[in-house]
Amino acid sequence: MSDPREDEGQPGNFVADRVREDLESGTKGGRVVTRFPPEPNGYLHIGHAKSICLNFGLAALSPEGRCHLRFDDTNPEVESPEYVEAIRRDIQWLGFDWGEHEYYASDYFDQLYAWAEQLVKKGLAYVDSRPLEAIRETRGDFHRPGENSPFRDRSVEENLELLRKMKAGELEEGSAVLRAKIDMQSKDLKLRDPLMYRIKKVTHHRTGDTWSIYPMYDWAHGQSDAIEGVTYSVCSLEFVNHRPLYNWFLKALEIEQPPEQIEFGRLNLSYTVLSKRKLLQLVEEKHVAGWDDPRMPTIAGMRRRGFTPEAIRAFADRIGVSKNDGVVDVGHLEYAIREDLNETSFRKMGVLKPLELEITNWPEGKVYEAELDNIPKNDEAGTRKVPFSGRVFVEQEDFMEDAPKKWWRLAPGKEVRLRGAALVTVNEVVKNDAGEVVKLQCTWDPESEGGNAADGRKVKGTVHWVSADHAVDAEVRLYDRLFAEDDPSDLLESLNPDSLEVLTGCKLEPGIADLPPESRIQLERTGYFVTDARDHVPGEKVVLNRTIPLKDSWAKLAKKMGVRK
RNA sequence: UCCGGUGUCGUCCAAUGGCAGGACAGCGGACUUUGAAUCCGCGAAUCAUGGUUCGAAUCCAUGCGCCGGAGCCA
C-alpha cells in the first residue's frame, strides 16, 4: 500500500509511468485521453480485455481523463453491426464506461478525404494507376530498395482529378490507389510510399454506398486519434514498425498537439489461441458451438463459462504491461477466477456421478435439516438448510473398495462424515451382475447428528451428499482446456478431444433449481459452476457449466503414489 | 541477410548506478466438518564476453538468442 500505484488499479507499468510523468510536468496540458479501437470483425477476447483494462486504467489516472471506444471500421468487407453490438456488450460487462465517447473511424471519412486532397496539393501524395502486382514488385524487400512508380511525379492537377474519380466510383477496383509520397529507398518498408486509399465498391455497415474508396489503417488511425484529441494511442507491439509512418502523417498535416503512439506487448496465453482469425476458424468450422462457447477465450465465452469481470480485471492487473513478448501461463488466469469465486460464490452440494448410499439404521421417515454456511468464514453470507435422509447419493469417486494409504473417504469399514449431517460407516457393498458397485449399505452413529461425534473422536474424511428424496436432476457440462498443447500453433492438431463432457442425471441440492441463469456457485469439494445463460430454466431445467474445478491435492498425491482410478 | 523491438526465478512483472523483490506455479509443514480456502516455511533468475565505476540487471562495446516487418488486413 506504500506504493500509490496499487490504489489506482494500474500497478507499475511503463505506460502508466509515462502518463504520470507527463501529468506531473504538464507535457500534454494535463490531459489524458486514450482509446480502445476494435475493428468490428470478431468478438473480443481476453487479450483485448488486457488492452481495455490498460486504456481505461490509464484514463483513470487523471480525474478528467477519458477513454474512447472507437470502432476502426475501415474495411467493410469483414465488418458487421453484429460485432459492434457484441463488443459494446462485452466492454460494458467488463465494467467499463465510455460515456458519450463512442466513435467510428467511418465518422471521419469526410475529414480524412479532405486531408488527402490537402496532401495531394502539397505534393505529398499521388495516385498510382498500376495493378496490385506491379506495386508489390516495385516495393522491394528487406534487402532490395523499392523503385519509384512511373506515376510518382504526376502533376497535382492530374492527381486531384484521378483521386476525385476514385472517390466518385468512376475507376475500377484495383486500377488505382492513393499513395503517400515518402521514400521508396527507405530501410523502413512501411515508409516506401504506403497506400492511403484503395477502391472498394462495397457497402459499408454504416456509410452504406456513399464511398467507393476506403482508407487504409495507417491513413485512418493516427488521424482519427488526432480528431478525437487522443493523447496516448496505446497499441500492441506489432505496430512499432508503423510509428514512423503514424508520425509522418501527423506532421504532414501539421497537426498541433499530435497524439503519441505507445506500444506494449499483447497478451499470449498458454493452451489458448488469441488470434481473431483462428477464433473465427474455430467458430466457422464448428469446433466450438459459437463465439460464446464456454471454452472460447472470448469475453462472451468466459462470461458463459462463469468468469467474473472482477477476476478478469485482477488478472489483467497482475500480469502487468511491458514490451516483452511473453506467454502468460493460464495458471495465472485460473488462480484469478478461483480467488474471486472463493470469496463470492455460495456453496452448494451436488453429486456429479451418483452412487446410492443407504443408512440401514436411520429412523424411518426422518428428515434432518443440515445447516450449512453459504460461504465459510463469511457471516454476512448466512446459512442454508439442506434436507438429509436415510437414502442419499454420494460421489462414485468418493468410494474405493480397496483403499490405498491416506484415503480418508468412503471404504468398507471406514468411518466418514457426510458433511453437516452424520458419521457413517460402510458395512456392505452391493454390486450388480457386471460387478459394478451400485449401492453402499451403511450404519450411522445416532450420536453424530450434524457430523460431530459425541465422544469427540476425530473423523478425517468428509464427503458431500444429496438426499435422494429431495435431489434435483441436472445436466452438468464439464469444460476443460480447448487445447491439449501449451502452444496450439497447429490449431486443429492441438484440440483437446476431452474439452467437453456432458453429464446428465446429476443430483443437486434442491435450492439450485430456482437459481436464475448466470448464477455462480461452488459445488463443495468439486468446483465452481454457473447456471447456463441460455439453457438453464429456473424451476424447469437445471443446466450447470463448470467454470473450473477446485484444486485437488488428493489427485496430486494419488498420482504420486501411483493409485489408479 | 536489411530495419525495428526485446532479453531478470519454470511463467508474468518490478528494481530508473547502491541489499535483485512480488505474484503464479512447485516443494515442505500447520490448520481444516470442502484433501478447498487460510497460515508458516523452502528452493528458484540478471543471455554471453569485455570495459567504465568505490559500486552495474541498469552505462559503453562486441557477440548471441527470441519476436515483428516485404496485405489494395487491422
Side-chain angles (χ1 to χ4, degrees):
Chain A
M1 282 300 123
S2 58
D3 187 345
R5 294 180 301 190
E6 287 179 6
D7 295 323
E8 291 162 0
Q10 244 347 256
N13 74 57
F14 76 99
V15 191
D17 288 347
R18 277 280 291 289
V19 173
R20 281 189 203 93
E21 282 164 24
D22 289 348
L23 239 23
E24 215 158 301
S25 65
T27 307
K28 307 253 184 212
R31 298 187 313 126
V32 181
V33 182
T34 59
R35 101 270 90 109
F36 175 67
E39 183 187 21
N41 68 340
Y43 275 58
L44 261 25
H45 55 64
I46 181 73
H48 294 112
K50 174 183 178 181
S51 174
I52 291 166
C53 291
L54 209 214
N55 277 296
F56 279 91
L58 254 18
L61 256 21
S62 160
E64 293 88 34
R66 58 177 204 262
C67 179
H68 299 177
L69 170 58
R70 180 171 74 236
F71 290 96
D72 219 340
D73 53 353
T74 57
N75 184 4
E77 276 167 317
V78 295
E79 297 155 4
S80 85
E82 181 210 342
Y83 293 127
V84 170
E85 278 317 302
I87 289 167
R88 291 163 44 94
R89 195 189 311 130
D90 288 344
I91 300 173
Q92 251 159 11
W93 178 78
L94 268 179
F96 296 103
D97 181 13
W98 55 92
E100 71 233 40
H101 301 288
E102 177 172 323
Y103 305 113
Y104 295 78
S106 54
D107 291 341
Y108 312 139
F109 282 176
D110 283 317
Q111 173 66 260
L112 250 16
Y113 180 79
W115 270 334
E117 286 208 353
Q118 196 177 310
L119 291 194
V120 168
K121 288 172 188 160
K122 286 172 91 170
L124 293 177
Y126 64 97
V127 173
D128 196 342
S129 306
R130 298 135 86 208
L132 184 146
E133 299 75 32
I135 292 177
R136 189 175 289 164
E137 276 163 25
T138 53
R139 183 150 36 217
D141 58 31
F142 298 149
H143 315 291
R144 206 161 36 93
E147 302 158 30
N148 285 358
S149 166
F151 299 106
R152 198 171 196 261
D153 293 314
R154 286 216 251 233
S155 68
V156 167
E157 293 69 31
E158 194 184 357
N159 276 322
L160 232 34
E161 189 189 330
L162 286 167
L163 177 57
R164 286 171 185 165
K165 280 187 174 169
M166 283 172 62
K167 180 181 185 246
E170 292 167 24
L171 266 33
E172 290 303 304
E173 274 189 33
S175 67
V177 292
L178 184 72
R179 303 178 73 174
K181 192 191 282 189
I182 307 182
D183 179 7
M184 290 305 291
Q185 267 67 245
S186 175
K187 298 269 192 194
D188 182 349
L189 305 224
K190 286 279 181 279
L191 259 21
R192 317 242 262 227
D193 290 8
L195 273 54
M196 294 168 65
Y197 277 109
R198 72 289 219 197
I199 301 170
K200 265 186 203 285
K201 298 187 178 175
V202 174
T203 305
H204 186 280
H205 71 106
R206 298 190 81 239
T207 60
D209 295 321
T210 309
W211 293 88
S212 296
I213 55 172
Y214 291 95
M216 300 290 292
Y217 167 84
D218 287 302
W219 172 237
H221 205 91
Q223 285 48 256
S224 301
D225 287 338
I227 291 167
E228 293 176 19
V230 165
T231 52
Y232 305 96
S233 184
V234 179
C235 63
S236 49
L237 241 32
E238 65 266 34
F239 291 97
V240 172
N241 298 315
H242 297 238
R243 186 167 6 116
L245 178 55
Y246 182 99
N247 291 333
W248 188 91
F249 280 129
L250 261 10
K251 192 169 179 209
L253 293 171
E254 297 169 56
I255 301 290
E256 292 175 34
Q257 299 189 315
E260 182 184 358
Q261 174 176 305
I262 301 176
E263 312 84 12
F264 73 99
R266 67 155 65 197
L267 175 68
N268 299 298
L269 250 197
S270 61
Y271 296 96
T272 311
V273 305
L274 294 180
S275 121
K276 275 191 185 175
R277 204 198 90 240
K278 288 180 177 174
L279 292 176
L280 179 64
Q281 186 186 348
L282 292 173
V283 172
E284 286 187 333
E285 294 178 4
K286 305 212 184 302
H287 301 292
V288 294
W291 284 103
D292 71 344
D293 185 299
R295 292 166 294 182
M296 289 283 272
T298 52
I299 306 297
M302 293 173 73
R303 175 178 180 176
R304 197 163 169 208
R305 175 79 170 256
F307 273 77
T308 61
E310 290 79 9
I312 293 173
R313 283 191 253 122
F315 167 74
D317 270 354
R318 211 161 302 157
I319 58 173
V321 176
S322 76
K323 295 186 81 156
N324 293 339
D325 185 23
V327 182
V328 175
D329 195 297
V330 266
H332 282 99
L333 220 209
E334 295 174 347
Y335 176 82
I337 186 59
R338 285 196 181 103
E339 179 187 42
D340 184 27
L341 260 16
N342 176 50
E343 288 173 8
T344 56
S345 66
F346 275 25
R347 311 290 124 121
K348 303 284 180 191
M349 288 196 288
V351 174
L352 267 28
K353 296 179 180 167
L355 171 62
E356 190 182 336
L357 181 153
E358 186 182 356
I359 301 172
T360 51
N361 62 338
W362 185 261
E364 181 76 30
K366 173 182 165 94
V367 174
Y368 172 70
E369 298 259 306
E371 186 168 10
L372 294 161
D373 286 336
N374 283 325
I375 302 178
K377 300 192 191 86
N378 179 341
D379 293 339
E380 285 174 30
T383 61
R384 70 189 191 284
K385 292 217 162 77
V386 187
F388 176 85
S389 64
R391 208 167 62 86
V392 301
F393 293 110
V394 295
E395 207 71 66
Q396 286 173 20
E397 277 191 0
D398 282 336
F399 172 76
M400 275 190 105
E401 197 160 14
D402 299 304
K405 281 193 293 280
K406 298 192 180 172
W407 175 263
W408 310 332
R409 285 115 96 146
L410 294 161
K414 210 169 180 100
E415 184 169 53
V416 168
R417 174 164 38 242
L418 296 178
R419 179 144 161 91
L423 262 19
V424 299
T425 304
V426 177
N427 299 316
E428 198 185 331
V429 179
V430 184
K431 297 181 182 175
N432 62 15
D433 294 341
E436 298 161 339
V437 178
V438 293
K439 189 175 178 181
L440 266 18
Q441 306 265 30
C442 303
T443 50
W444 79 299
D445 172 2
E447 304 280 270
S448 70
E449 201 170 83
N452 268 325
D455 63 5
R457 69 180 183 278
K458 295 289 179 204
V459 174
K460 187 98 170 161
T462 301
V463 140
H464 61 275
W465 50 268
V466 172
S467 168
D469 292 338
H470 306 84
V472 169
D473 276 301
E475 173 179 323
V476 178
R477 299 164 182 170
L478 301 181
Y479 293 103
D480 198 353
R481 293 170 177 168
L482 222 205
F483 297 98
E485 311 282 334
D486 61 345
D487 174 12
S489 294
D490 46 9
L491 195 70
L492 272 16
E493 289 298 301
S494 310
L495 280 169
N496 175 9
D498 304 316
S499 61
L500 170 60
E501 185 184 357
V502 180
L503 265 27
T504 54
C506 305
K507 304 291 185 182
L508 310 182
E509 73 171 65
I512 297 175
D514 301 318
L515 256 21
E518 292 196 287
S519 303
R520 302 183 190 91
I521 57 172
Q522 182 198 102
L523 254 26
E524 290 201 70
R525 303 208 317 127
T526 302
Y528 296 100
F529 295 80
V530 63
T531 49
D532 189 69
R534 296 178 190 273
D535 303 325
H536 173 84
V537 183
E540 277 181 46
K541 185 173 191 227
V542 179
V543 180
L544 254 35
N545 299 333
R546 182 175 68 189
T547 309
I548 191 164
L550 247 31
K551 284 222 268 182
D552 187 352
S553 60
W554 162 250
K556 204 183 279 184
L557 215 206
K559 196 175 170 190
K560 215 185 298 180
M561 298 193 309
V563 176
R564 78 278 169 262
K565 183 61 222 170

